[in-house]
């Protein structure tokens, strides 16, 4: 795994620490942990992360799906959602932003790793 | 001729005068006796008064009792109602509108009366589905009906009631009652949103607990302690699956047992790295576990499965776990859980052991689920469990 950078968008500190620790343990680099839309875009421009783990319920005036929509339109980035929303209507809204995955909290490490492996494979293929 | 009319007017007045003093009503015989009038005449006058609406009739047993009607002029009644009301004739022209309807639309009464509804641009009532129902009702098909109306922005809700009406001359018409249900619908919607929000918070909080345990586990070297913490995390996940399943069941009051069991098995498989050679067969079709029992049931199954997965099978051999759940009616359930592994160790008494897994199993059943368990450990381990939901 050659230096894949992950941006974690999560407004709960403890959950973000957990995700950060889990992905670092498996050799990924964390480009940042942010809790609101403007910080997402700043990190995307400055750090160019390869993968974005996106919570839906975040701080600020856009929710995670709206941020993902903008990321898709302006940067051609496909996010991976990690959210406590498991209802169909939110899932459908989120799927319109063509995400690489949609994980429902609580996070299962095996599921997260599988998803990251898939995303990393896709990145390699596109390069 | 005019003498006759004068006379019947006088007689009608006498009948009404008499009834005025008898609020509980009188029969034809009573009236005939008191007024000293023959029964046929009494009957004729009462019929005239019935038709004109001055008198009402009620049957008490076989007797018919007549009394003065307590009618309120219809227009006063309409204005008294808190709903907006409109009356149409057979031509769908507005013949009457109450004050509320005028306030609602901003029209003057003179402007409104006489307009044909289909050509008007009145809010709510001139919408296509309402108009269609009106013409169906005017053609005589069907009875009163209710139509729910919602504006495009979802900010206003009305209940439109259409009532077939007959005018004095016998011609058909429609009374339209427009009830503003915006407040109640909004309150209902807010409540639904709040429930969703609470489910979300519950899951988020469970995630925080699971994250805390996980962060702590990662700083520990000792593999045994690490395992214990993982186990604790697994229990939290079992809980959170119950909540997820509850939220998705149609009434949010029951857990759909087979869906829950599938997702729990799937989850444990992944988190514990269970080889595919170990099969889990679930038979619980159509069983719904009531809310009060769902959490202990979820934890119970989690412990049973974890035990089987961890201890029953030696590495790299296959095995079968069977979960059979039946609803016995009256909120009671029977669960048979078995594996064909190596059985419990000889020295372990499942009824008294203080190993956490088994004492959780025992106490969940006995202390929380009003249940009993029997354990048979020979070729594999076999649990027969009966439990009872409280019935809310």
């Amino acid at each position: 795994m050659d230096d894949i950078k992950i941006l974690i968008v999560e407004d709960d500190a403890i959950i973000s620490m957990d995700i950060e620790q889990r992905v670092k343990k498996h050799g990924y680099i964390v480009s940042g942990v942010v809790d609101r839309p403007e910080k997402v875009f700043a990190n995307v421009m400055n750090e160019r992360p390869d993968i974005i783990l996106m919570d839906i319920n975040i701080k600020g005036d856009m929710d995670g799906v709206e941020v993902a929509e903008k990321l898709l339109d302006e940067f051609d980035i496909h996010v991976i959602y990690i959210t406590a929303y498991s209802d169909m209507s939110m899932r459908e809204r989120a799927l319109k932003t063509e995400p690489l995955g949609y994980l429902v909290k609580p996070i299962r490490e095996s599921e997260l790793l599988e998803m990251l492996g898939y995303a990393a494979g896709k990145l390699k293929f596109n390069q | 001729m005019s003498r006759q009319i004068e006379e019947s007017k006088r007689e009608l007045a006498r009948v009404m005068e008499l009834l005025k003093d008898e609020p509980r009503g009188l029969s034809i015989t009573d009236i005939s006796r008191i007024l000293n009038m023959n029964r046929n005449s009494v009957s004729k006058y009462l019929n005239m008064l019935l038709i004109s609406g001055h008198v009402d009739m009620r049957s008490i047993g076989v007797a018919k009792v007549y009394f003065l009607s307590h009618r309120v002029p219809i227009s006063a009644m309409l204005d008294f109602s808190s709903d907006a009301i409109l009356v149409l004739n057979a031509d769908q022209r507005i013949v009457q509108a109450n004050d509320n309807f005028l306030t609602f639309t901003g029209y003057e009464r003179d402007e409104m009366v006489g307009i044909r509804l289909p050509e008007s641009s009145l809010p709510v009532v001139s919408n296509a589905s309402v108009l269609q129902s009106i013409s169906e009702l005017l053609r005589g098909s069907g009875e009163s009906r209710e139509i729910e109306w919602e504006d495009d922005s979802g900010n206003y809700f009305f209940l439109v009631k259409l009532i077939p009406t007959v005018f004095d001359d016998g011609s058909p018409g429609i009374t339209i009652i427009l009830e503003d249900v915006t407040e109640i619908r909004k309150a209902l919607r807010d409540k639904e949103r709040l429930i969703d929000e609470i489910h979300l918070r519950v899951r988020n909080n469970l995630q925080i607990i699971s994250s805390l345990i996980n962060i702590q586990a990662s700083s520990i070297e000792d593999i045994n302690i690490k395992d214990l913490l993982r186990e604790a995390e697994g229990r939290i996940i079992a809980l959170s699956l119950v909540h997820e399943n509850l939220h998705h069941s149609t009434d949010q009051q029951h857990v759909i047992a087979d869906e829950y069991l599938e997702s729990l098995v799937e989850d444990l498989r992944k988190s514990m790295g269970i080889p595919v050679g170990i099969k889990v067969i679930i038979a619980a079709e159509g069983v719904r576990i009531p809310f009060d029992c769902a959490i202990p049931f979820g934890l119970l199954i989690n412990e049973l499965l974890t035990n089987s997965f961890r201890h029953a099978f030696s590495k790299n051999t296959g095995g079968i776990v069977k979960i059979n759940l039946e609803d016995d009616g009256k909120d009671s359930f029977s669960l048979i859980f078995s594996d064909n592994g190596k059985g419990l160790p000889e020295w372990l008494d499942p009824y008294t052991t203080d190993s956490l897994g088994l004492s959780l199993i025992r106490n969940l059943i006995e202390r929380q689920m009003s249940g009993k368990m029997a354990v048979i450990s020979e070729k594999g381990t076999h649990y027969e469990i009966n439990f009872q939901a409280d019935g809310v």
Side-chain angles (χ1 to χ4, degrees):
Chain A
M1 215 163 306
D2 18 309
D3 295 357
I4 290 183
K5 280 201 280 189
I6 298 180
L7 170 62
I8 298 167
V9 186
E10 170 63 65
D11 68 350
D12 185 285
I14 292 166
I15 300 175
S16 79
M17 282 170 71
D18 181 23
I19 299 175
E20 184 179 13
Q21 218 169 56
R22 291 187 206 237
V23 301
K24 274 184 177 164
K25 188 171 74 188
H26 291 91
Y28 295 94
I29 293 169
V30 172
S31 79
V33 179
V34 298
D35 62 350
R36 52 176 68 244
E38 52 279 21
K39 291 189 192 165
V40 176
F41 299 118
N43 188 284
V44 166
M45 304 227 251
N46 299 330
E47 302 287 335
R48 301 268 157 199
D50 302 296
I51 295 172
I52 299 179
L53 297 177
M54 179 72 73
D55 186 14
I56 290 180
N57 212 353
I58 56 173
K59 295 206 185 86
D61 49 9
M62 293 165 93
D63 72 1
V65 177
E66 289 166 314
V67 174
E69 206 168 59
K70 205 168 160 192
L71 288 172
L72 182 71
D73 288 346
E74 293 179 17
F75 301 93
D76 196 30
I77 292 176
H78 302 256
V79 305
I80 295 172
Y81 288 105
I82 300 184
T83 175
Y85 284 105
S86 68
D87 59 299
M88 275 332 267
S89 59
M90 185 55 87
R91 196 184 283 254
E92 274 164 25
R93 243 194 87 206
L95 289 184
K96 287 197 182 119
T97 65
E98 303 169 29
L100 294 173
Y102 190 97
L103 302 179
V104 176
K105 286 175 186 171
I107 303 157
R108 287 72 147 178
E109 186 152 325
S110 55
E111 225 172 47
L112 176 65
L113 284 181
E114 212 173 283
M115 191 50 69
L116 289 175
Y118 165 76
K122 215 161 165 132
L123 279 172
K124 217 170 198 174
F125 182 79
N126 288 342
Q127 269 166 11
Chain B
M1 186 71 187
S2 76
R3 204 178 57 86
Q4 254 179 325
I5 294 175
E6 280 306 311
E7 190 192 325
S8 60
K9 262 192 182 167
R10 210 170 48 240
E11 297 298 328
L12 285 169
R14 281 181 70 205
V15 174
M16 283 179 64
E17 196 62 31
L18 175 64
L19 290 176
K20 204 185 267 175
D21 299 329
E22 298 287 346
R24 298 168 73 183
L26 292 170
S27 68
I28 291 179
T29 316
D30 294 337
I31 299 170
S32 156
R33 184 171 42 80
I34 297 169
L35 294 182
N36 196 16
M37 197 187 282
N38 82 50
R39 286 180 55 92
N40 286 341
S41 304
V42 172
S43 167
K44 181 181 81 184
Y45 292 133
L46 282 173
N47 270 333
M48 289 167 72
L49 289 169
L50 264 180
I51 290 168
S52 65
H54 291 89
V55 158
D56 274 339
M57 188 263 290
R58 196 186 298 150
S59 298
I60 298 176
V62 286
K64 288 177 177 164
V65 169
Y66 296 81
F67 53 92
L68 284 188
S69 64
H70 307 281
R71 294 195 183 181
V72 181
I74 189 108
S75 55
M77 182 87 162
L78 293 185
D79 283 338
F80 188 70
S81 166
S82 60
D83 299 329
I85 301 173
L86 201 60
V87 183
L88 301 184
N89 67 12
D91 194 27
Q92 302 196 28
R93 279 185 204 286
I94 296 170
V95 292
Q96 208 165 14
N98 74 347
D99 288 350
N100 276 327
F101 196 89
L102 297 173
T103 321
F104 172 61
T105 53
Y107 278 73
E108 294 291 329
R109 183 164 271 117
D110 304 349
E111 301 174 297
M112 175 144 319
V113 171
I115 300 178
R116 279 198 78 230
L117 188 64
E119 274 102 64
S120 76
S121 51
L122 290 170
V124 188
V125 287
S126 64
N127 113 349
S129 76
V130 174
L131 287 177
Q132 181 175 350
S133 293
I134 288 174
S135 18
E136 281 169 20
L137 288 175
L138 281 173
R139 279 201 303 273
S141 52
E143 305 193 336
S144 310
R145 56 179 86 175
E146 288 186 5
I147 299 169
E148 290 190 24
W149 181 91
E150 180 186 345
D151 76 328
D152 294 337
S153 60
N155 283 325
Y156 297 97
F157 299 86
F158 284 93
L159 203 56
V160 186
K161 297 175 194 165
L162 303 175
I163 304 162
T165 308
V166 179
F167 291 102
D168 286 347
D169 61 359
S171 66
I174 299 280
T175 303
I176 305 174
I177 300 177
L178 204 57
E179 191 185 345
D180 185 348
V181 289
T182 304
E183 288 305 313
I184 197 159
R185 286 295 146 82
K186 280 191 173 167
L188 210 62
R189 205 170 50 182
D190 286 349
K191 194 188 122 209
E192 277 167 13
R193 205 166 13 215
L194 207 63
I195 291 175
D196 281 350
E197 179 73 25
I198 286 170
H199 274 281
L200 197 70
R201 283 186 202 170
V202 168
R203 270 208 303 282
N204 222 47
N205 285 344
L206 289 170
Q207 172 67 67
I208 292 174
I209 297 168
S210 137
S211 283
L212 276 171
I213 297 173
N214 192 55
I215 292 168
Q216 201 145 25
S218 65
S219 64
I220 286 169
E221 299 288 328
D222 187 323
I223 203 79
N224 289 324
I225 299 176
K226 235 185 167 75
D227 261 3
L228 286 179
L229 288 171
R230 293 264 171 272
E231 223 172 276
E233 200 187 342
R235 292 184 175 117
I236 307 291
I237 288 187
L239 272 184
S240 115
L241 284 178
V242 175
H243 275 281
E244 194 173 325
N245 195 302
L246 266 181
H247 187 198
H248 291 278
S249 77
T250 39
D251 61 357
Q252 311 213 345
Q253 298 287 331
H254 291 84
V255 162
I256 319 284
D258 54 356
E259 281 177 24
Y260 174 72
L261 292 170
E262 298 281 358
S263 58
L264 187 60
V265 168
E266 182 59 26
D267 214 89
L268 287 173
R269 259 188 193 290
K270 279 188 187 163
S271 61
M272 296 178 66
I274 306 304
V276 283
I278 298 173
K279 299 249 177 295
V280 180
I281 300 168
I282 296 166
E285 207 184 332
V287 182
R288 291 151 38 94
I289 308 276
F291 176 76
D292 68 313
C293 229
I295 298 284
F297 174 76
L299 287 173
L300 169 69
I301 295 286
N302 183 60
E303 297 308 320
L304 291 168
L305 275 170
T306 311
N307 269 355
S308 286
F309 284 162
R310 182 162 300 157
H311 305 297
F313 309 109
S314 38
K315 284 240 178 300
N316 303 324
T317 58
I320 293 174
V321 177
K322 283 186 187 163
I323 307 173
N324 200 318
L325 178 67
E326 276 176 33
D327 184 344
D328 301 334
K330 293 191 178 155
D331 287 324
S332 98
F333 298 86
S334 46
L335 169 70
I336 297 174
F337 183 100
S338 60
D339 65 52
N340 64 348
K342 52 178 111 130
L344 300 175
E346 294 248 341
W347 49 265
L348 190 135
D349 178 354
Y351 302 102
T352 56
T353 177
D354 51 8
S355 90
L356 183 55
L358 271 163
S359 56
L360 273 176
I361 290 173
R362 203 173 55 232
N363 287 323
L364 283 166
I365 295 168
E366 288 173 3
R367 295 187 184 173
Q368 202 172 348
M369 302 167 81
S370 321
K372 283 199 181 82
M373 77 165 181
V375 188
I376 304 160
S377 173
E378 284 169 355
K379 289 178 178 170
T381 313
H382 182 97
Y383 295 84
E384 282 190 36
I385 296 164
N386 290 293
F387 63 93
Q388 181 86 32
D390 256 341
V392 191

